[in-house]
Amino acid sequence: MSEEILLIERARNGDMISFRNLVERNEKLVYYLAYDLIGNHFDAEDISQEVFLKVYNSLKKYRGDAKFSTWLYRITLNTCLTARRKKSFSAAKKQDSIDDYEDLATHSYQSDPERLAEREIIQKNVNRAMQKLSEKEKSVFILKNHNGLSFNEISEIMSVAVGTLKSLNFRALKKMRDELKDFREEKSGEEVKNEM
């Protein structure tokens, strides 16, 4: 029996230390998926808490047919989609702040303000481009390209046929390329100027 299955069994029987261990093992997975889907640090934290509350309340229903991480992805994705439908995020909250980037930046970015500024510009352009995707396209794009899941795993999470997922991912990639085309051209023009 794997350690994760053992923790799940103990947590089902009311062992809070085992449940806390499950949360600690998976909190980054949940937070980063929520952040990628919502685009806001504070809402991602709220959603993460809501996800783990749902997990705690539903743990007895988890049958183990799918991997625990797949089950968590499904709960996180559904919670994010519900939150996006219920709540219209204000423009101020949608707009990424420098604090979010500083929290996520590595030490090398923090010690190099120019690299941090460049990273912020890139992230803002990517976030803007992602706003053009439908909810399903965005979900597939993030699960496949950010989280590295296979189409079979995404099919389990979203209950969508693999062929449909491939089509959604293809459309998302095309839209992203089209949206980022001007930014890439501008960026390559700057690089040519800097080399002169």
Side-chain angles (χ1 to χ4, degrees):
M1 184 180 289
S2 76
E3 187 179 346
E4 186 172 77
I5 292 171
L6 189 59
L7 287 173
I8 292 166
E9 286 304 317
R10 287 178 179 167
R12 277 181 174 160
N13 293 321
D15 182 350
M16 290 309 292
I17 293 172
S18 293
F19 183 73
R20 188 177 318 127
N21 285 334
L22 277 175
V23 171
E24 288 170 0
R25 287 171 156 232
N26 295 286
E27 62 190 343
K28 285 184 180 178
L29 176 148
V30 170
Y31 170 81
Y32 285 117
L33 178 58
Y35 183 83
D36 287 341
L37 289 167
I38 299 297
N40 173 307
H41 166 71
F42 299 106
D43 289 322
E45 281 189 340
D46 289 346
I47 286 170
S48 296
Q49 289 177 2
E50 186 176 341
V51 165
F52 285 112
L53 184 61
K54 286 180 180 180
V55 166
Y56 180 76
N57 290 327
S58 304
L59 203 52
K60 290 188 188 224
K61 295 177 189 172
Y62 173 67
R63 296 183 312 267
D65 298 340
K67 290 191 298 186
F68 186 71
S69 60
T70 302
W71 189 61
L72 264 180
Y73 274 118
R74 183 180 302 133
I75 293 170
T76 306
L77 179 65
N78 289 337
T79 304
C80 287
L81 294 175
T82 301
R84 281 175 46 180
R85 287 183 195 117
K86 280 184 184 175
K87 179 179 180 181
S88 68
F89 296 105
S90 68
K93 286 185 97 175
K94 257 188 178 177
Q95 189 174 11
D96 291 311
S97 69
I98 190 72
D99 294 338
D100 288 341
Y101 291 106
E102 285 175 357
D103 287 345
L104 298 173
T106 63
H107 178 72
S108 62
Y109 282 114
Q110 290 173 346
S111 62
D112 186 348
E114 189 174 313
R115 285 183 69 201
L116 179 61
E118 183 178 333
R119 182 171 181 258
E120 181 181 345
I121 291 167
I122 292 168
Q123 189 63 49
K124 282 185 179 180
N125 278 280
V126 168
N127 288 345
R128 182 186 47 78
M130 286 183 75
Q131 296 305 314
K132 303 292 183 180
L133 303 179
S134 71
E135 282 187 1
K136 280 190 176 180
E137 289 168 343
K138 186 175 184 179
S139 298
V140 173
F141 178 82
I142 288 168
L143 290 170
K144 176 70 178 155
N145 302 293
H146 285 205
N147 296 82
L149 299 182
S150 70
F151 285 117
N152 287 334
E153 290 170 312
I154 299 168
S155 178
E156 274 188 68
I157 293 165
M158 295 180 66
S159 301
V160 175
V162 169
T164 304
L165 294 173
K166 287 180 179 179
S167 178
L168 286 165
N169 189 56
F170 177 79
R171 285 200 314 257
L173 288 169
K174 183 177 179 340
K175 284 181 182 179
M176 292 291 287
R177 269 195 295 275
D178 291 347
E179 286 296 317
L180 293 170
K181 183 179 149 200
D182 293 340
F183 174 70
R184 286 196 321 260
E185 288 172 359
E186 181 182 306
K187 191 87 180 115
S188 59
E190 285 176 15
E191 287 170 6
V192 169
K193 275 187 202 175
N194 291 339
E195 288 176 7
M196 293 181 168

